[in-house]
Amino acid sequence: MEPVRDIVVPVDLAEPRDDAIRYAIDLSGRLGSRVHLVHVYQAPSFALPEGASLADAAYAARQAEAVEHAMAHLLARHRTQGARLSAHVVHGLPHAQIVWFAERVRASLIVMGTHARRGLDRVLLGSVAEKVLRRATVPVLVVPPGTARRVA
């Protein structure tokens, strides 16, 4: 088994949870790994009666700037823990881009959180974690809400 050098942690800025980030940072400290926080950004669009419409360029630019700012804030907040962290924003479908990014940085592991949705919510909303599990070429560790508090 190869050493775990790079860990990718997908970040959902819409529903921020730090459980997976804290878990990955703790793990990286024990293994001497780097942690890559990655947020997948989809171009904003609005549903209109005539069909979906992409946002205008000014709105999209403001949203992209807000995402970059949020990622910089997240990085600063967690960097105080002494971990080797980097933050990245990629564009596209979340599950596909998470797998692509992990391959791009040659990650040894993906550590991701879950919203722990059950039943109809999970069926209707889908599960990014499940899609990543099915497509990833490296191990995926799914951290349920509240787990990171018990790790340390």
Side-chain angles (χ1 to χ4, degrees):
M1 184 165 87
E2 294 182 27
V4 176
R5 291 193 177 97
D6 290 271
I7 300 172
V8 169
V9 182
V11 176
D12 181 355
L13 296 174
E15 296 183 47
R17 298 196 60 91
D18 288 350
D19 297 310
I21 297 170
R22 287 193 304 268
Y23 198 102
I25 288 171
D26 181 58
L27 190 59
S28 74
R30 297 170 194 222
L31 301 174
S33 308
R34 289 181 297 271
V35 176
H36 302 273
L37 305 178
V38 62
H39 174 71
V40 181
Y41 176 77
Q42 291 182 281
S45 62
F46 303 98
L48 302 173
E50 301 83 30
S53 172
L54 291 176
D56 70 0
Y59 179 81
R62 286 192 306 274
Q63 291 295 31
E65 185 177 323
V67 167
E68 293 288 346
H69 178 73
M71 286 299 284
H73 177 72
L74 188 66
L75 186 63
R77 190 171 77 228
H78 287 286
R79 189 166 268 155
T80 61
Q81 298 178 25
R84 296 185 310 167
L85 290 173
S86 59
H88 311 269
V89 177
V90 296
H91 302 271
L93 292 173
H95 68 278
Q97 291 304 104
I98 291 165
V99 171
W100 171 84
F101 185 82
E103 290 171 354
R104 185 179 137 227
V105 298
R106 294 190 170 118
S108 306
L109 178 67
I110 299 171
V111 175
M112 60 190 307
T114 179
H115 299 294
R117 291 187 177 110
R118 302 266 190 258
L120 190 57
D121 276 350
R122 187 185 162 288
V123 171
L124 293 175
L125 297 172
S127 170
V128 173
E130 181 179 346
K131 290 175 184 175
V132 170
L133 278 166
R134 292 180 186 277
R135 291 171 174 83
T137 57
V138 298
V140 178
L141 175 64
V142 179
V143 179
T147 303
R149 286 177 282 240
R150 298 189 301 257
V151 173

